[in-house]
């Protein structure tokens, strides 16, 4: 659907969830934000282009907001659909956007060695089968403007936190923000609105800074990848609830670190039910935000790191 003049939201099924692609159509050309999985462009994007009467070759730019396979897996398929398109992402995520094995190892396999947390072979095989990556043409750093029409330029913002190189797009013409996964509420939602798993932000200070930037803008529309379209008071509610969740994790985590040292896996099991209403199987995905909070507490000198049975442990000092 067209959610604002020239901005189209294309909702792609993702199991019991969804991921949204955004198509910005200007007088001169079009910009696609994210590509979904390998089959998403053929199953969702191409039919939508037919419906609105836009030729695929009008897509001049493709921006991958960050390194996650459900946002980059359709890159090769979009290249086939629009061979002349210029693919762009932030330099800090580029290596993973170009190479799915690098993404599996660096992003999804980050907690395997020191924390004993890793995806199953089945999950890794699914990621590989859902993804075809290609080289990126242009590296972004934030601050760029992309011209889509005589009176329409959209701005690229560097909004890290979920990943180091996450970018968002600001539409000054309509005062709208496309933030993808830069802010993740108190849970990532299923299509029916229920909580699927924890918000998987990773770098706490930059995550909060990105949220504060969004709060200061007060956009007319806040457009995300896995949530409804937010307008008016709904924008502030979504952002403030996301910010409050970060403080809640800090409090609960600090309480749990008193006494004997805990591994990251133990912390996900201990805190899962307290921090959300997702299924018990989803507790393990707390490893992403918890690791971010633990790293910050270690940096502040509040938590000491140890080892037990080959795994890292954490405990409050004093």
């Amino acid at each position: 659907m067209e959610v604002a003049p020239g901005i189209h939201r294309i909702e792609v099924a993702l199991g019991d969830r969804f991921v949204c692609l955004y198509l910005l159509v200007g007088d001169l050309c079009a910009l696609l934000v994210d590509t979904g999985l390998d089959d998403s462009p053929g199953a969702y994007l191409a039919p939508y282009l037919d419906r609105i009467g836009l030729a695929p070759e009008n897509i001049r730019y493709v921006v991958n907001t960050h390194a996650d396979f459900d946002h980059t897996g359709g890159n090769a398929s979009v290249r086939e659909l629009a061979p002349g398109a210029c693919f762009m992402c932030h330099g800090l995520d580029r290596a993973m956007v170009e190479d799915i094995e690098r993404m599996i190892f660096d992003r999804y396999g980050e907690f395997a060695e020191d924390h004993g947390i890793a995806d199953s072979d089945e999950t890794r095989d699914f990621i590989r089968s859902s993804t075809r990556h290609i080289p990126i043409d242009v590296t972004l750093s934030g601050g760029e403007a992309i011209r889509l029409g005589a009176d329409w330029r959209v701005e690229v913002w560097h909004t890290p936190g979920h990943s180091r190189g996450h970018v968002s797009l600001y539409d000054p013409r309509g005062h709208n923000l496309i933030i993808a996964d830069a802010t993740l509420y108190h849970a990532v939602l299923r299509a029916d609105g229920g909580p699927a798993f924890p918000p998987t932000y990773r770098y706490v200070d930059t995550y909060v800074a990105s949220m504060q930037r969004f709060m200061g803008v007060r956009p007319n529309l806040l457009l995300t990848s896995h949530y409804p379209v937010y307008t008016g008071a709904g924008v502030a509610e979504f952002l403030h609830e996301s910010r409050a969740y970060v403080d809640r994790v800090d409090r609960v985590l600090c309480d749990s670190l008193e006494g004997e040292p805990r591994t990251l896996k133990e912390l996900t099991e201990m805190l899962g039910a307290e921090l959300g209403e997702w299924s018990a199987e989803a507790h393990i995905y707390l490893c992403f935000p918890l690791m971010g909070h633990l790293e910050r507490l270690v940096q502040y000198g509040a938590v000491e790191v140890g080892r037990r049975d080959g795994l890292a442990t954490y405990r409050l000092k004093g």
Side-chain angles (χ1 to χ4, degrees):
M1 60 182 294
E2 189 172 11
V3 294
I7 300 180
H8 302 255
R9 170 181 159 113
I10 304 169
E11 192 171 299
V12 173
L14 189 64
D16 62 356
R17 301 188 294 118
F18 61 83
V19 61
C20 290
L21 319 183
Y22 289 94
L23 183 69
L24 283 63
V25 182
D27 297 334
L28 297 178
C29 61
L31 160 68
L32 179 67
V33 181
D34 288 334
T35 62
L37 303 180
D38 186 34
D39 61 356
S40 303
Y44 294 90
L45 176 61
Y48 190 83
L49 294 175
D50 288 340
R51 196 174 75 174
I52 65 173
L54 184 73
E57 54 265 28
N58 285 330
I59 300 176
R60 185 177 297 175
Y61 305 107
V62 178
V63 173
N64 292 133
T65 57
H66 65 285
D68 266 327
F69 78 100
D70 56 323
H71 295 258
T72 63
N75 279 8
S77 293
V78 172
R79 172 73 82 197
E80 293 164 358
L81 188 67
C86 175
F87 283 73
M88 301 181 281
C89 75
H90 196 280
L92 292 174
D93 279 10
R94 179 168 182 165
M96 292 185 286
V97 170
E98 292 184 320
D99 184 351
I100 190 57
E101 296 302 325
R102 184 75 176 267
M103 188 185 295
I104 289 172
F105 182 82
D106 288 353
R107 185 151 171 80
Y108 306 134
E110 176 188 2
F111 307 108
E113 184 174 352
D114 285 334
H115 308 287
I117 299 172
D119 288 327
S120 66
D121 290 342
E122 181 181 9
T123 297
R124 289 192 291 268
D125 288 343
F126 171 75
I127 293 172
R128 293 185 180 103
S129 69
S130 303
T131 305
R132 285 193 296 146
H133 283 175
I134 58 173
I136 291 295
D137 300 307
V138 172
T139 298
L140 301 169
S141 59
E144 299 85 357
I146 301 173
R147 186 169 181 251
L148 303 179
D151 62 347
W152 194 18
R153 287 174 172 82
V154 294
E155 300 173 7
V156 178
W157 291 4
H158 182 206
T159 53
H162 178 55
S163 75
R164 294 190 188 278
H166 195 294
V167 296
S168 300
L169 294 177
Y170 173 58
D171 162 34
R173 183 181 72 174
H175 197 48
N176 304 310
L177 267 173
I178 302 173
I179 68 167
D181 288 0
T183 302
L184 293 165
Y185 201 40
H186 55 63
V188 177
L189 303 182
R190 300 190 304 265
D192 64 8
F197 53 83
T200 52
Y201 61 89
R202 178 63 183 82
Y203 308 103
V204 179
D205 288 335
T206 54
Y207 181 66
V208 170
S210 294
M211 270 190 279
Q212 290 172 332
R213 187 176 188 182
F214 302 149
M215 290 175 186
V217 171
R218 298 183 180 179
N220 291 327
L221 287 182
L222 189 70
L223 302 171
T224 70
S225 296
H226 305 292
Y227 305 91
V229 174
Y230 294 106
T231 63
V235 174
E237 181 182 353
F238 175 81
L239 293 173
H240 285 285
E241 182 64 28
S242 301
R243 179 66 182 87
Y245 188 82
V246 174
D247 292 337
R248 181 181 170 196
V249 173
D250 245 354
R251 292 193 301 270
V252 170
L253 178 60
C254 286
D255 289 345
S256 70
L257 292 174
E258 295 180 350
E260 65 180 89
R262 305 286 186 182
T263 67
L264 180 60
K265 190 172 185 179
E266 289 169 345
L267 290 167
T268 65
E269 294 167 352
M270 288 174 57
L271 304 180
E274 188 171 357
L275 289 174
E277 297 180 356
W278 43 76
S279 68
E281 291 77 16
H283 291 344
I284 196 65
Y285 295 108
L286 276 171
C287 62
F288 290 95
L290 291 183
M291 191 71 251
H293 285 268
L294 286 167
E295 287 173 342
R296 189 168 66 159
L297 289 168
V298 171
Q299 183 180 10
Y300 291 168
V303 164
E304 60 184 12
V305 182
R307 306 290 293 189
R308 186 203 325 138
D309 299 328
L311 300 180
T313 62
Y314 303 88
R315 181 175 61 180
L316 280 181
K317 287 185 177 178

